[in-house]
Structure formats: structure tokens, C-alpha cells
Amino acid sequence: MSLFRVYVDGELFYNPNLSKLAITQAQVKEDAENIDSLTLSAPFNHPYLSSIQPMASVIECRKGDVTVFEGRALDDGIDFYNTHTWTCESALAYLKDTIQKPYSYKGPLRGLLEYFISEHNKSVEEKKQFTIGIVTVTDPNDYISYSNSEYSVTMDAIREKLIKTHGGYLQLRYTKEGKVLDYLSDFTAASLQRVEYGKNLLDVTIHQDHTERVTALIPLGAKIEREEFSDGEEANTDETVAEKRVTIESVNDGRNYVYDEQAVEEIGWIWATEVWEDVTVPGNLLQKAKVRIAELAKGITSMELNIVDESDTGADIGSIRARQYVECYSLPHGIDGRYLCVNKTTDYLDPSGNTITIGASGVTLTSISVTQDKNLGLLEEDLAGQNSQISDVTDKVEEISNARMYRTELLVEGVSIFRNREQQSILHCRVYSWDQDITDTLESSQFLWHKNSGNEDSDADWDSRHAGMKSVFITTEDVQDNASFYCEVTI
């Protein structure tokens, strides 16, 4: 199983094999539509607490050789026990640090993204800079024309001029050469893991949001230039006329809208409008509008799945990540298909809390499952020839269904740092299976305490005298100059 570590400005902050560098929380939340985040907590006696400087330090989380998070801390909170907790945002948030000056752009879609990033890179230090990677979002004419007379935040400019008009997702990749920003029409990565009821699916929460339901939609297509007006229309300089767009009246019995009859009967008339910048034919616009109103009338459905990620059990397989398609099956919940993992919460200290969310804001579950034909074709190609690996995964899942995940927790009764010779403390080792305390069900002989003071002979003698105990007394004689203690439990 790949080792999880945390670095601050390139220096080691957490390693599970070093007791001095212990932390109490490391939870990464991946979001395909927004900025990833990290919640990091460390006890009061961590030697490098002061090394984390909010908004300045670079915090990196690695699992094996893979960077799973890189970003900065936004704050530093301290609780009753002086535990420090930092809320962090990923490096994608650096795009909120710069401003785009007024501009006028005409050219290919990729060129506008390159312009935004170039202006961003000119204004920040090297660690905040990006290079453009893969761009699969396209414009039908491979030509766009945008301008802005106001100053705007770089992230807002990208969302307003690219994502809102042409769709797609931003994806940040961490490479040896630096941070690479992709702009994708859809994700093509697919997980080899399969989430299945009765095997590695622990819990399901289905959320249906009816507040975004729409029953009537006015669709608008591409802008009509002045010279394209019919002979009966006067091409004047009025701005409203200049912004006239393709509509559907000519192919929809004179109505400029479509509606869902059943939804109207159920909840009444709720109106909205939507623009398809690249649609120039009324008939095509009508077809798109009919498909869209069918989705909007149903509301938004998302599903949160509490899962066992096989990579956390030692299986030689990649983790399920947000921005991947995942095969999910649960007959009791009506889940059966390949869905986009929109969000994933990964607790690197307690994998029992790992969850994924399938579904997306503004999109129904059905539309996610039935993706564009070209994207499904790419996914099929990615999975072709991997039958043997999938077979191995299935065997591993069978093992997981009968396995348990354990963790230990040391409780200190007394003080953690001795300042006077008369002081003493009691260390209790508690064992958990998932979140259930099973300490009392274990034999004392399964517990073996260890001391680490740098004196091998002294430590070995202490270890031999503290085998077969669930709790141990620690005095100043045990510590001398400096020492740490941990308990090994055999199950």
C-alpha cells in the first residue's frame, strides 16, 4: 500500500512511521466542478506547527509518488486541546489572485484560455504559474469573439467567457515540469474499481433537489448579424435589435418556448431561458430545447456512496478519484451504470469515512449515465484489454467483503510532556474496527508496547517488560531526556 505523507514548503510534515510527526486529520475533498480542498490537523506538540503560514506556505500531500493535493492554507484554527486545524485550497485557487485587464479577443477558443493564463503568469511568482495542457472543448466555427471593458478576476473571466458559454471542466495536473491546466469537454479517465452493493458499498444517500425544477424553457440560439435580418426588418443601430438571436417560433407553431406538460400539471409554470451560442438552425435548437426541458423538469439528483477504496487495503490498483467514470451497481437503490465521480472525500487517517458522489449540479443522474457517444467510445477503448485486471479486482473485492479495517488510538491519562520528576501518566491503547471500539474483545497478549528513545538496549528491555498490557504507566524514569511510545496490536 502506498505511503501517505504531507510536506510543507518541501519539508516533511507528516509520515505515519514517525511518531514525532503525528497528525490527527488529513481529509481531501476533490470536486470536479470547483476547487479541491484539504482539512489538516496536528496536535499541540507537533514540532513544525509554526512552519505553516496561511496564504504563503505550499502544502503538498502525496500517496506514494502521486501528488493528491497541492495548495495553500487559508486559516489556522485552535481548539480546546490546542489542536491546530488548517483549511486549505488547491493550487487552482491561484487563479483568484490575479486580474484580467480590459481586453478584446477574436480567434480560436484555446487562444482565449492561453491569453488568460499568460496574463495571470505575468502577475505572479513561479509557484503560482500554469502551463496549458489538453484542451478538448471546441467551438463549431473554431472562432470566438469576446471583449470586456472592465477589470475581472482571472478565475471569473474563465468561467464567464469559456465554461458558461462552451461548458467543460478545468483539471489541474501536477507534473515534474510544474502545474498543467487542462480544459476538458468531458473526462475520459475510468476507474478499474467497481462499486457494488454487498461488496465494497457501505452506504447510500440519495438527494433530489426540486428547487431547480423548470417546466417551461425559452431557448435562444446564435446571434443574428444585422446583414442576416430578413428584408422586412430594418437593420438599425439599436442594441436590442443587434443582439437578436435564433429562436424556434418558425418550427414550433409560433411559440418561442417548450414545456413539460406533466410537470406543469404537477407544480405549475416555472420559466427559464437558456442560450446555445453555436446553434444557427431553428430545428436543431428545438431538438436541444426538448432534451433540456425533459432534464430540467425532473430536478437534480445526486447520490453519495460510502465505499471501501481497494487501494486503501493494499490492493495493487489505483484509487477512485473525482473526475473519473466509475462502474456502480446497487439493485436496491436503482443504481446500474457508469457514472462520473463528481466529488470524492478521502480521509487518509480513517478510510472508513471515504465517500464518492455521483451526479452533478444542474444535470440529472440519467444524463450523466448516458454520456455522449464519442466519450463512451473513448472509455471503452481505455478499458479494452484490461479484463484480466478487472478479474483480479473482482477477486480482491471478494476478500474485502469479508475483511475489516482496524485502527488504534492512544489515550493519555495525565500529561504528554513531563516537566517535574514526580509526574506520571497512563497510556491506554484502544482498538477500533471501523468506528466500533473492540478493545475489550481482544486478549491482553495481543498488545505489545514499544519505547523509542534512541537507546536500543534500554528500549528493548522496556519493551519486554510491557508486553501483554492494554495500558501502561509512564514515569519520568521511563523518559529520561526524550522518548516516544506506541503500541503494536496483533489481530
Side-chain angles (χ1 to χ4, degrees):
M1 182 166 59
S2 300
L3 197 65
F4 176 78
R5 293 151 297 155
V6 179
Y7 295 84
V8 175
D9 291 328
E11 300 297 326
L12 186 63
F13 187 85
Y14 167 71
N15 184 312
N17 295 328
L18 300 176
S19 58
K20 289 184 179 180
L21 300 183
I23 60 175
T24 57
Q25 185 180 21
Q27 187 182 79
V28 174
K29 294 184 178 180
E30 300 173 285
D31 190 336
E33 297 179 320
N34 291 293
I35 298 171
D36 294 350
S37 64
L38 164 70
T39 302
L40 178 67
S41 299
F44 70 94
N45 58 348
H46 193 290
Y48 304 133
L49 290 178
S50 61
S51 67
I52 298 182
Q53 300 297 318
M55 299 300 292
S57 299
V58 175
I59 300 174
E60 182 183 6
C61 299
R62 298 180 194 166
K63 188 174 182 183
D65 296 329
V66 178
T67 297
V68 295
F69 178 88
E70 182 183 321
R72 61 189 177 189
L74 299 177
D75 53 28
D76 181 1
I78 304 175
D79 67 9
F80 182 80
Y81 301 98
N82 285 328
T83 298
H84 288 244
T85 298
W86 299 270
T87 301
C88 312
E89 60 182 1
S90 80
L92 189 62
Y94 296 155
L95 294 175
K96 300 190 298 182
D97 293 353
T98 56
I99 295 294
Q100 297 292 318
K101 59 186 179 183
Y103 63 89
S104 177
Y105 175 84
K106 294 182 179 181
L109 182 145
R110 180 188 177 102
L112 181 58
L113 180 61
E114 290 175 340
Y115 170 81
F116 287 150
I117 298 304
S118 174
E119 292 298 307
H120 165 84
N121 289 342
K122 293 177 184 177
S123 305
V124 294
E125 55 273 33
E126 184 177 356
K127 70 178 183 180
K128 294 184 179 180
Q129 294 178 359
F130 303 90
T131 57
I132 300 298
I134 302 169
V135 177
T136 59
V137 177
T138 59
D139 181 82
N141 302 313
D142 194 29
Y143 181 87
I144 57 176
S145 176
Y146 287 122
S147 62
N148 191 355
S149 60
E150 305 289 338
Y151 286 87
S152 58
V153 176
T154 298
M155 177 64 83
D156 294 340
I158 293 174
R159 285 176 172 165
E160 289 293 330
K161 300 302 183 182
L162 292 174
I163 296 176
K164 283 190 177 181
T165 58
H166 290 79
Y169 305 87
L170 294 178
Q171 174 179 268
L172 184 59
R173 290 185 284 124
Y174 305 102
T175 70
K176 293 181 180 179
E177 292 74 27
K179 288 174 279 292
V180 178
L181 185 64
D182 298 330
Y183 181 31
L184 307 177
S185 59
D186 202 352
F187 300 103
T188 58
S191 174
L192 287 177
Q193 297 190 47
R194 173 182 168 90
V195 176
E196 188 168 351
Y197 178 79
K199 292 186 177 179
N200 58 345
L201 178 61
L202 304 179
D203 194 15
V204 176
T205 301
I206 301 175
H207 178 69
Q208 293 181 317
D209 185 359
H210 292 272
T211 61
E212 300 295 328
R213 292 182 69 182
V214 171
T215 61
L217 176 69
I218 300 175
L220 299 173
K223 294 179 182 178
I224 301 175
E225 301 295 337
R226 289 187 178 90
E227 58 268 21
E228 297 179 9
F229 291 170
S230 62
D231 295 338
E233 294 181 285
E234 181 181 355
N236 58 42
T237 58
D238 183 78
E239 185 67 22
T240 303
V241 176
E243 291 295 323
K244 185 172 181 180
R245 292 180 177 272
V246 173
T247 60
I248 60 173
E249 289 102 327
S250 62
V251 292
N252 194 41
D253 297 328
R255 294 193 299 266
N256 70 338
Y257 63 91
V258 292
Y259 68 100
D260 187 294
E261 184 175 355
Q262 184 176 351
V264 169
E265 293 178 358
E266 179 187 355
I267 61 175
W269 291 91
I270 301 177
W271 292 81
T273 185
E274 192 160 327
V275 177
W276 284 266
E277 292 281 0
D278 58 336
V279 179
T280 59
V281 179
N284 294 343
L285 182 62
L286 177 60
Q287 293 302 316
K288 289 180 177 292
K290 287 181 177 179
V291 172
R292 185 58 174 156
I293 191 61
E295 294 179 345
L296 295 174
K298 295 176 182 177
I300 302 170
T301 300
S302 65
M303 296 189 183
E304 184 177 284
L305 312 181
N306 187 244
I307 64 168
V308 175
D309 191 319
E310 297 165 63
S311 66
D312 294 323
T313 69
D316 186 17
I317 190 171
S319 302
I320 294 177
R321 304 285 301 273
R323 307 173 180 89
Q324 289 182 340
Y325 279 89
V326 185
E327 290 282 354
C328 302
Y329 176 74
S330 178
L331 183 61
H333 304 99
I335 304 174
D336 184 10
R338 182 181 296 149
Y339 303 101
L340 178 63
C341 178
V342 181
N343 302 293
K344 184 183 182 187
T345 299
T346 305
D347 192 325
Y348 286 99
L349 302 190
D350 181 14
S352 65
N354 291 352
T355 63
I356 64 173
T357 299
I358 55 176
S361 58
V363 184
T364 67
L365 191 62
T366 301
S367 66
I368 293 177
S369 179
V370 186
T371 57
Q372 297 178 4
D373 291 341
K374 63 178 181 180
N375 188 61
L376 286 174
L378 290 172
L379 290 175
E380 295 294 347
E381 292 175 6
D382 290 341
L383 292 175
Q386 298 177 347
N387 292 335
S388 60
Q389 289 179 274
I390 295 174
S391 178
D392 292 340
V393 170
T394 303
D395 294 339
K396 192 66 181 180
V397 171
E398 294 290 347
E399 296 176 17
I400 294 172
S401 65
N402 298 318
R404 294 176 178 272
M405 298 190 69
Y406 300 98
R407 63 183 176 89
T408 60
E409 184 175 310
L410 293 186
L411 303 180
V412 181
E413 185 179 336
V415 296
S416 298
I417 301 177
F418 292 154
R419 304 185 185 279
N420 302 311
R421 290 186 178 275
E422 298 79 13
Q423 290 180 308
Q424 65 178 16
S425 296
I426 304 175
L427 296 183
H428 304 278
C429 181
R430 310 300 298 179
V431 183
Y432 294 85
S433 173
W434 300 114
D435 289 328
Q436 182 179 0
D437 189 337
I438 63 169
T439 309
D440 295 337
T441 67
L442 303 177
E443 299 292 335
S444 297
S445 59
Q446 295 175 262
F447 292 73
L448 177 60
W449 289 85
H450 296 279
K451 173 185 173 182
N452 184 9
S453 66
N455 187 326
E456 294 183 3
D457 294 336
S458 174
D459 292 346
D461 178 66
W462 189 93
D463 293 353
S464 64
R465 292 185 286 108
H466 292 83
M469 302 178 182
K470 297 183 180 181
S471 301
V472 294
F473 282 91
I474 305 295
T475 68
T476 52
E477 294 181 0
D478 297 311
V479 176
Q480 297 297 327
D481 182 25
N482 185 30
S484 61
F485 303 85
Y486 67 95
C487 185
E488 178 182 347
V489 183
T490 302
I491 298 178

